[in-house]
Amino acid sequence: MKRFPKIVAATAAIALTGGALTACGSSDAQSAGNEGEGPTRVVLTSHAAADTLDELDLEDRVVGLVKTGVFPEALDAYSGDEYTDIGSLKEPKMDVIAELGPDLILFGNRTREMEPEFAKISDQVIAGDPDTSETIASNRAKVEEIAALFGAEDKAAGELAEIDEMVSATKAKAEGAGTALVLMTSGGKVTGYGPGSRFDLIFNELGMTPAGELEAEGSHGAPLSWEQIAELNPDHVFVIDRDAAIGAEGEAAAALLDNPLFNRTAAATNDNVHFLDGQNWYLVGGGLGVLEAMIDEIDSAVS
Amino acid sequence: MTTTLVERRLQHTSLWPALGVVALVVSLVASVFVGAANITVWDALTGGLTEAHRVYLVEARLPRTAAAALAGASLAIAGLLMQLLTRNRFVEPSTAGTVESAGLGLVVVAIIAPGAPIVAKMLVAMVFALAGTALFLACIRRVPVSDSFVVPLIGIMLGSVVGAVAAFLALSRDLLQMLNSWMLADFSAVLAGRYELLWLVAVLGVLAYIAADRFTVAGLGEDVSTGLGLDHKTVVAAGMAIVAAVAAVVVVTVGALPLLGLVVPNVVSRLVGDDARRGLPLVALLGAVTVLVCDMVGRSLPGLFAGGAPGAGEVPVGTIVGILGGAVFLAMMLRGVRNA
């Protein structure tokens, strides 16, 4: 019951902004973000939301985001010094954020627990990452929510329609493409992901058939032995090289996979081992532009 | 606690080594034939193996079995050496800061020279493990030995401090997952060509056996052993070097097996007493058997729940060994240990 007033306040805030937007909706339809509509000092710990703002030409509203650690290429628009580095994905620096005086904080899944602390710094605090159990639907919801704050609904709607088209096209190809397994390599070890995992997108939303039932829980997948992978014998293997994605030097995924057991799989013999963009899949995981790129990777793999 | 008649009788049984060898052979064979694919002994003997099964056996199961046996045997020996040299039954590489120090060394290499070859990484881990163990020895020399439980507690605290430093460094460089994989053994990635460093520890085990009598004498304490004409300091240093080397090699290649070095020597000393020359081969045998069995459990447990599906994954062997070791450690603490 203690949370109730907060929810009311949040709903009211959204309703108010929404009301304000419809009031002058005609003017900001021409060029999103130029009218001074919505928050002007945005701080992000969500890479997906940063990508969405960039795609909506709203990057000038951002004052600070996560740059410590590996900074994804997809967020190149923010490389300039005018965008303050607020720390790392898991450990943002609260003092730096507070100093920026944000009027909106979009937080990522990795800083979910810090929401109450963000709320002390900024009036408006919103989750920015899509939910990995239904990436496409929740990405759409996130994009629409963010776009509405700035009156950029029209531009967002156009791009979202594009994503929907891509999804149905990819799905049609994926359905006849055989079984698939997602592997992540890190520190010389390999873990497998199936439906229900953080890479559920590939299976339930883009329609690839899972190569076997994999333990869904845990964000780092099921530890698989090479023999188990050989027995699962997937037709397609999607590889995410975690070490490369986070900039740590490790045995390259390709070298790790090149062993007599993995080489027996249908995926390896038919040249259907696809190395995904680790930054997009592991670090960003969504956003208007990056999700498009992710779907595109799967599409070209099954084409 | 005094030695009971039954125990004294058991100590004089010469059957233990034979039993140990039989147990080892059985678990070696079992380990080779437990896995995701159903390969039977019969197929192997009659040449009815498919090409896939032959690849599984040669490239994965035999190396994995060897890795488990070598890691288990060597860590158990390392535990025995530490217990002899510190004269305390609760000391082993994971209760003396040795393992954590090796992990810290690996994190430091990963930051300074990430591209370094594995042998170089191992050497750095070894130097750190040695330094950590020396620090532990220096600490316990300053504590009156009135209570034997205090010694491993100091070691565990030291290990926590070193581990915290390693975790801090790892966290700042996004290496935490790598550190975790070093701190918990997992044989699922073992393949031919990726574990062979472990044969090094077999050499160390032989060295330990050759010097076994000296370690037994050193275990009598500095005054007694010096009186008996032993260069106490050199023997202790040599023993600790073996321990550090074993810990470093195992952590680098497969990951740590917590408390194994504590449980196995204590069980063996109950069976045959405290003579290192008699105990050492048994400690090695039982260490190997324990890890082989724990690995087989970890390999098949998720599959049993998932109806034998190959996608069920595995439970890391380090987890199983840790649970077993923790239970035995606790039981020993509660019951008190004779001669402790």
Side-chain angles (χ1 to χ4, degrees):
Chain A
M1 287 310 279
K2 248 187 150 181
R3 283 178 53 202
F4 191 67
K6 221 177 191 176
I7 293 169
V8 172
T11 324
I14 291 170
L16 276 175
T17 10
L21 293 176
T22 35
C24 48
S26 55
S27 62
D28 50 58
Q30 307 150 356
S31 141
N34 287 340
E35 311 301 317
E37 188 73 64
T40 52
R41 297 191 65 77
V42 183
V43 164
L44 303 145
T45 66
S46 158
H47 280 337
D51 171 56
T52 300
L53 287 178
D54 177 22
E55 287 292 310
L56 295 174
D57 297 327
L58 289 162
E59 70 274 12
D60 55 335
R61 304 298 182 84
V62 175
V63 290
L65 74 162
V66 167
K67 288 176 153 182
T68 302
V70 174
F71 191 58
E73 276 165 42
L75 302 182
D76 221 28
Y78 299 99
S79 56
D81 286 339
E82 65 268 37
Y83 304 103
T84 306
D85 179 8
I86 59 152
S88 69
L89 272 178
K90 279 187 176 167
E91 303 214 321
K93 295 172 186 147
M94 288 296 174
D95 49 335
V96 177
I97 300 177
E99 214 162 280
L100 288 170
D103 52 3
L104 169 65
I105 295 178
L106 290 159
F107 63 89
N109 284 339
R110 292 173 173 93
T111 42
R112 211 180 290 129
E113 303 81 30
M114 297 180 195
E115 189 179 353
E117 279 153 72
F118 290 138
K120 287 179 202 155
I121 299 174
S122 168
D123 290 339
Q124 219 170 357
V125 178
I126 298 173
D129 282 355
D131 181 352
T132 52
S133 67
E134 37 164 16
T135 305
I136 290 165
S138 77
N139 193 65
R140 161 180 282 277
K142 282 292 152 206
V143 169
E144 283 172 348
E145 189 181 357
I146 293 168
L149 294 174
F150 299 91
E153 291 98 328
D154 291 350
K155 190 169 168 61
E159 298 215 20
L160 285 170
E162 228 169 85
I163 289 184
D164 287 344
E165 265 172 51
M166 290 176 71
V167 171
S168 37
T170 305
K171 222 172 168 174
K173 294 179 204 163
E175 260 143 30
T179 61
L181 177 65
V182 178
L183 296 178
M184 189 193 284
T185 62
S186 180
K189 291 189 178 161
V190 64
T191 43
Y193 297 80
S197 70
R198 68 194 288 176
F199 303 117
D200 189 53
L201 170 66
I202 292 174
F203 301 100
N204 282 330
E205 293 180 279
L206 294 177
M208 293 296 300
T209 312
E213 283 193 25
L214 258 71
E215 196 190 319
E217 278 160 61
S219 58
H220 290 109
L224 292 176
S225 69
W226 293 107
E227 184 178 325
Q228 285 172 322
I229 295 169
E231 283 290 288
L232 288 169
N233 195 20
D235 296 312
H236 290 268
V237 171
F238 297 98
V239 187
I240 292 151
D241 187 339
R242 182 181 174 275
D243 294 342
I246 62 167
E249 286 217 31
E251 195 178 0
L256 194 62
L257 294 178
D258 184 20
N259 68 65
L261 277 79
F262 184 78
N263 287 339
R264 294 191 62 84
T265 58
T269 44
N270 299 324
D271 215 6
N272 274 323
V273 181
H274 317 287
F275 293 89
L276 301 178
D277 183 320
Q279 293 182 350
N280 283 354
W281 287 83
Y282 186 72
L283 291 178
V284 187
L288 205 42
V290 169
L291 183 61
E292 225 179 283
M294 287 160 67
I295 298 169
D296 205 41
E297 283 185 75
I298 306 300
D299 188 82
S300 49
V302 292
S303 293
Chain B
M1 209 193 291
T2 52
T3 315
T4 65
L5 200 67
V6 179
E7 274 175 327
R8 213 173 300 145
R9 175 135 208 139
L10 284 174
Q11 289 183 3
H12 290 126
T13 304
S14 52
L15 273 175
W16 293 118
L19 275 176
V21 171
V22 170
L24 179 67
V25 171
V26 169
S27 44
L28 284 174
V29 172
S31 171
V32 171
F33 290 98
V34 170
N38 187 20
I39 307 175
T40 63
V41 185
W42 178 252
D43 287 341
L45 290 177
T46 56
L49 290 174
T50 64
E51 174 60 23
H53 288 176
R54 199 166 305 134
V55 171
Y56 293 169
L57 283 180
V58 174
E59 300 289 340
R61 292 200 188 176
L62 288 172
R64 182 178 191 152
T65 301
L70 289 169
S74 60
L75 275 178
I77 292 176
L80 177 70
L81 287 187
M82 283 195 107
Q83 285 147 32
L84 277 174
L85 296 177
T86 60
R87 308 182 69 193
N88 186 299
R89 288 191 184 281
F90 299 105
V91 174
E92 71 115 27
S94 71
T95 62
T98 311
V99 172
E100 288 81 1
S101 303
L104 176 63
L106 287 173
V107 171
V108 169
V109 192
I111 291 172
I112 295 173
I118 187 153
V119 177
K121 287 180 180 168
M122 192 196 74
L123 285 173
V124 175
M126 213 160 97
V127 171
F128 272 75
L130 203 53
T133 316
L135 184 62
F136 166 73
L137 291 178
C139 286
I140 61 167
R141 220 170 285 140
R142 281 165 179 75
V143 176
V145 271
S146 58
D147 194 341
S148 61
F149 296 124
V150 174
V151 172
L153 290 182
I154 292 172
I156 290 169
M157 279 193 287
L158 181 68
S160 303
V161 173
V162 176
V165 174
F168 174 76
L169 285 176
L171 190 67
S172 65
R173 305 294 176 111
D174 255 323
L175 294 167
L176 208 53
Q177 285 190 351
M178 235 184 232
L179 178 65
N180 288 343
S181 79
W182 287 319
M183 288 299 109
L184 197 65
D186 178 6
F187 295 136
S188 65
V190 171
L191 286 177
R194 294 209 178 135
Y195 81 102
E196 280 75 1
L197 265 179
L198 273 175
W199 288 103
L200 264 183
V201 301
V203 177
L204 294 171
V206 172
L207 279 181
Y209 184 67
I210 294 170
D213 291 337
R214 291 199 177 93
F215 292 128
T216 308
V217 175
L220 297 172
E222 185 161 5
D223 297 339
V224 179
S225 51
T226 309
L228 288 168
L230 189 78
D231 185 352
H232 187 260
K233 280 205 173 63
T234 310
V235 173
V236 171
M240 290 305 163
I242 292 178
V243 169
V246 166
V249 174
V250 172
V251 167
V252 169
T253 47
V254 293
L257 290 157
L259 298 176
L260 181 81
L262 185 141
V263 172
V264 173
N266 277 292
V267 170
V268 169
S269 107
R270 291 231 151 193
L271 299 178
V272 301
D274 281 337
D275 176 1
R277 185 172 287 281
R278 278 188 73 196
L280 206 126
L282 268 184
V283 165
L285 283 172
L286 188 60
V289 170
T290 308
V291 174
L292 282 166
V293 171
C294 286
D295 182 45
M296 278 185 270
V297 171
R299 234 186 292 177
S300 28
L301 211 53
L304 289 179
F305 287 115
E314 297 194 354
V315 179
V317 62
T319 308
I320 311 262
V321 171
I323 293 170
L324 185 76
V328 176
F329 187 30
L330 210 61
M332 280 172 55
M333 291 278 254
L334 293 176
R335 286 174 58 185
V337 175
R338 70 205 162 99
N339 310 334

